[in-house]
Amino acid sequence: MATATPSELHPVGAFVPLPFRVAERRQDTGDTWTLTLEPEESGFAVEPGQFAMVHVFGVGEVPISVSGPPERPGDPIVLTVRAVGAVSGAICASELGALLGLRGPCGNSWPIAEATAGDVVVVAGGIGLAPLRPVVLHTLAQRDSYGAVSVLYGARTPADLLYTDQLEEWRSTIAVDVTVDAAEPPWKGKVGVVPKLVATAEFRPEAVTAFVCGPEVMMHFTVQALRERGVPDERIMLSLERDMRCGIGLCGHCQLGPTLVCRDGPVYSQADVGALLGVREL
Ligand SMILES: Cc1cc2nc3c(=O)[nH]c(=O)nc-3n(C[C@H](O)[C@H](O)[C@H](O)COP(=O)(O)OP(=O)(O)OC[C@H]3O[C@@H](n4cnc5c(N)ncnc54)[C@H](O)[C@@H]3O)c2cc1C
């Protein structure tokens, strides 16, 4: 029997960080930046929902979802990163022209093709809109292939809302409903948690696919609200976060019961992981 070589099992980008240069840098909120990275050499293509292991030389490496996925290996990659610690802080602080290393593409992708001809509801909390942005961009680019499309988005305060200019643009083509947990004037929009928006969203429960990403408690209540509308667990898709090191299914850090989130996820259906998420400390 022929034995596969390591490079056949894993493409080179899985082990070796490829050099990318910061070509654009925009501050979205007090703690979140969006970077456009251009590959120095070959780069790689990414499906919506996949992530890259982003390496800051001398600091460390963390998983970051691709919020603007390149269709071809030479295209730039867009990342939206919230500075919460050493590595994410160093990514956000990277100046124009700085060199970062990216391994990828890692993980599976949102099943957007399977949702074709049906309705789509995107439910995002906080930074969770970053991995869902490619789903929204895809439905906008292929608008005729989908029925009703809604984006339900919540953040802690108005100042924490991401992509505010794009949310306005999207409103001209699809339904966009935004809420914040807490606000003061001049905010005139909704106040409340994002799962509450599900009850009034326009979609056919029997023909919708839900794409959900945010803090786990937000996803828990969103699933409840979707179930109350009659959406089956098989068509509720969740993107999970777990502590990850290798990003390619070797080290076991991101194990969730029988599955490794970096290799088998991060995207799962509620039917696949609902029971696991209900187990405390798993
Ligand atoms: C598949 C995947 C995709 C991700 N995509 C994005 C993204 O698009 N944008 C983004 O800003 N972040 C994303 N994250 C989270 C990001 O990886 C963490 O914020 C980062 O690893 C924190 O590392 P640090 O060294 O900066 O902070 P640390 O010093 O390691 O941690 C600082 C704080 O963040 C918490 N933390 C650490 N790792 C995680 C984690 N994986 N999830 C939640 N909390 C964590 C710690 O408990 C601690 O409170 C993603 C995570 C995964 C698993």
Side-chain angles (χ1 to χ4, degrees):
M1 194 174 78
T3 311
T5 63
S7 63
E8 283 166 342
L9 283 172
H10 297 288
V12 68
F15 286 116
V16 181
L18 299 177
F20 281 71
R21 219 167 266 287
V22 179
E24 285 172 36
R25 179 172 192 275
R26 187 191 70 218
Q27 183 162 12
D28 292 297
T29 71
D31 60 6
T32 303
W33 276 258
T34 292
L35 304 181
T36 302
L37 305 177
E38 282 184 353
E40 287 280 278
E41 297 160 8
S42 51
F44 44 82
V46 180
E47 296 286 330
Q50 288 190 298
F51 63 96
M53 295 302 294
V54 181
H55 195 105
V56 185
F57 299 102
V59 183
E61 192 182 55
V62 290
I64 299 292
S65 300
V66 178
S67 61
E71 287 172 16
R72 289 174 305 273
D75 293 346
I77 282 185
V78 180
L79 307 175
T80 298
V81 186
R82 188 163 153 231
V84 296
V87 185
S88 53
I91 297 170
C92 291
S94 301
E95 299 289 350
L96 286 178
L99 209 54
L100 297 173
L102 265 66
R103 294 193 291 120
C106 301
N108 65 357
S109 53
W110 297 108
I112 318 182
E114 287 87 324
T116 306
D119 296 343
V120 168
V121 62
V122 167
V123 193
I127 192 78
L129 188 55
L132 283 166
R133 183 171 169 266
V135 174
V136 179
L137 297 180
H138 177 88
T139 58
L140 290 171
Q142 312 272 326
R143 189 64 197 91
D144 293 343
S145 305
Y146 296 91
V149 178
S150 308
V151 176
L152 315 180
Y153 175 44
R156 284 171 299 181
T157 71
D160 293 311
L161 288 167
L162 290 178
Y163 313 137
T164 43
D165 48 345
Q166 291 171 48
L167 291 169
E168 284 313 312
E169 273 172 38
W170 296 348
R171 268 183 219 281
S172 62
T173 318
I174 56 177
V176 177
D177 204 2
V178 175
T179 187
V180 294
D181 296 347
E184 290 179 2
W187 176 253
K188 293 194 176 70
K190 294 185 180 174
V191 177
V193 293
V194 68
K196 292 223 162 110
L197 302 179
V198 171
T200 51
E202 191 201 323
F203 60 76
R204 295 163 294 162
E206 70 285 2
V208 74
T209 304
F211 298 93
V212 186
C213 188
E216 225 150 280
V217 63
M218 167 264 169
M219 295 205 279
H220 172 80
F221 287 108
T222 299
V223 167
Q224 275 189 6
L226 289 164
R227 280 175 156 175
E228 278 163 24
R229 291 275 315 257
V231 182
D233 285 359
E234 291 73 20
R235 279 191 281 104
I236 301 176
M237 309 308 302
L238 312 170
S239 183
L240 302 188
E241 279 196 14
R242 284 292 179 279
D243 184 17
M244 286 179 189
R245 297 292 150 86
C246 74
I248 52 174
L250 297 178
C251 75
H253 264 85
C254 62
Q255 182 177 1
L256 176 68
T259 179
L260 293 174
V261 177
C262 74
R263 182 194 63 192
D264 310 323
V267 176
Y268 296 89
S269 73
Q270 167 68 14
D272 287 335
V273 288
L276 296 174
L277 292 176
V279 181
R280 281 186 80 185
E281 311 220 340
L282 190 62

